[in-house]
Amino acid sequence: MTDQPLLSVSDLSVSYGPVQAVREASLEVRAGEIVALLGANGAGKSSTMWALVGMAPRTGGRIVLDGRDVTGAAPEDVVRAGIAIVPEGRRVFANLTVRDNIRLGGVARRAGDPHGPLQRDEVGDLFPLLAERWDQVAGGLSGGQQQQLAIARALAARPRLVLLDEPSLGLSPRLVGEVFELMAELRRRAITLLVVEQNVQRSLAIADRAYVLQGGRIVLSGDAAEVRDSEATEAAFLGGRTTTRTTTTTTVTG
Ligand SMILES: Nc1ncnc2c1ncn2[C@@H]1O[C@H](COP(=O)(O)OP(=O)(O)OP(=O)(O)O)[C@@H](O)[C@H]1O
Ligand SMILES: [Mg+2]
């Protein structure tokens, strides 16, 4: 293995007609890292995530996964290449059982994966309640369990990189804690995470590095501790102008 990042995104732009949601954003995720993607409402976080899996209108840029250019690839091919997304809002198929939700997630299983479909006992290892409710419909699960199922469905693709969009949104404080514990556990299992979280301090406590989006641009990046301590981070969330400050590992533009 070289130092090549697992995911390398350069100059990514996304536009919805006249609305430019992401502007020449570049970021990297190295294998084994948790990277936080932060920013105020409308900053372009979800658009970035969706563009990575070929589901947002990308108008420019390049996406390389483990040395393989997946720019412009069909979503199912991106998932087979090893990127799975857990969308905002724990969207599960409410009328389908836990088992079938997970089975669907495995339809685009990573090419070359030696493990085969995600099995009930493996699910139970991470999410005991899901294994217990294996044959129940997803619509009957609690919000926290549905979030677990949305994550399990992504894991069924046997991804190398999981994109988590606001996984703790709307959950009780106890369940928020569980989501953060789960992220740490996934990292221990060699799953790399790119996480969007409104819970900024908590995500910076668990992340290795972070990027801050403001108005579609990455205005700050660096080690999580540096991003946490930067005035520019606060400015980005208040929607104010960013300060210009440059250190060896933290760059601020804009
Ligand atoms: N399908 C769409 N059509 C038109 N504009 C869109 C669409 N999706 C997002 N946008 C716009 O693109 C910009 C970025 O939105 P995006 O959802 O990526 O931001 P976000 O950082 O995920 O915000 P939030 O914190 O609210 O989830 C916003 O101005 C938003 O209104
Ligand atoms: Mg969003």
Side-chain angles (χ1 to χ4, degrees):
M1 272 300 278
T2 61
D3 282 347
Q4 170 180 280
L6 179 59
L7 176 74
S8 176
V9 178
S10 39
D11 298 323
L12 179 70
S13 293
V14 174
S15 289
Y16 304 96
V19 178
Q20 200 174 354
V22 181
R23 299 162 188 263
E24 295 171 358
S26 297
L27 61 92
E28 277 182 10
V29 182
R30 300 174 202 133
E33 279 189 317
I34 296 179
V35 174
L37 183 60
L38 306 173
N41 288 344
K45 306 179 299 292
S46 296
S47 298
T48 300
M49 294 278 211
W50 285 116
L52 295 181
V53 292
M55 292 192 74
R58 191 184 47 80
T59 51
R62 190 157 172 262
I63 302 162
V64 177
L65 181 72
D66 205 14
R68 180 177 158 200
D69 193 333
V70 295
T71 318
E76 60 273 24
D77 293 331
V78 177
V79 179
R80 281 198 193 92
I83 306 180
I85 188 166
V86 181
E88 196 176 337
R90 358 180 216 292
R91 289 177 221 161
V92 295
F93 297 102
N95 298 331
L96 299 184
T97 61
V98 168
R99 174 210 303 263
D100 286 343
N101 269 277
I102 289 172
R103 192 187 277 169
L104 275 175
V107 165
R109 205 164 66 242
R110 178 158 57 88
D113 158 63
H115 303 290
L118 190 64
Q119 301 296 327
R120 182 178 187 166
D121 56 341
E122 286 177 273
V123 173
D125 193 25
L126 273 170
F127 310 107
L129 288 171
L130 290 185
E132 278 175 31
R133 290 166 173 63
W134 195 241
D135 292 311
Q136 294 177 22
V137 293
L141 301 177
S142 70
Q145 290 161 4
Q146 289 187 17
Q147 182 58 281
Q148 292 184 354
L149 179 56
I151 294 170
R153 188 180 56 197
L155 295 179
R158 302 287 190 190
R160 300 190 61 192
L161 171 66
V162 177
L163 314 178
L164 288 171
D165 196 351
E166 310 263 20
S168 75
L169 191 69
L171 298 181
S172 71
R174 185 177 59 83
L175 293 176
V176 170
E178 285 184 9
V179 166
F180 279 91
E181 275 166 32
L182 173 65
M183 289 187 223
E185 180 59 28
L186 292 176
R187 193 223 317 247
R188 283 193 284 277
R189 293 172 187 228
I191 293 168
T192 305
L193 299 174
L194 178 62
V195 182
V196 167
E197 256 297 329
Q198 86 289 356
N199 221 317
V200 175
Q201 292 306 326
R202 207 153 179 178
S203 54
L204 288 174
I206 196 177
D208 299 288
R209 293 185 307 109
Y211 292 86
V212 179
L213 273 169
Q214 185 178 13
R217 286 188 198 284
I218 291 177
V219 293
L220 178 67
S221 65
D223 289 342
E226 289 168 321
V227 170
R228 187 188 60 216
D229 295 339
S230 170
E231 289 165 20
T233 303
E234 199 177 342
F237 284 93
L238 296 173
R241 287 180 58 78
T242 52
T243 52
T244 301
R245 190 177 83 174
T246 306
T247 66
T248 45
T249 49
T250 308
T251 52
V252 183
T253 54

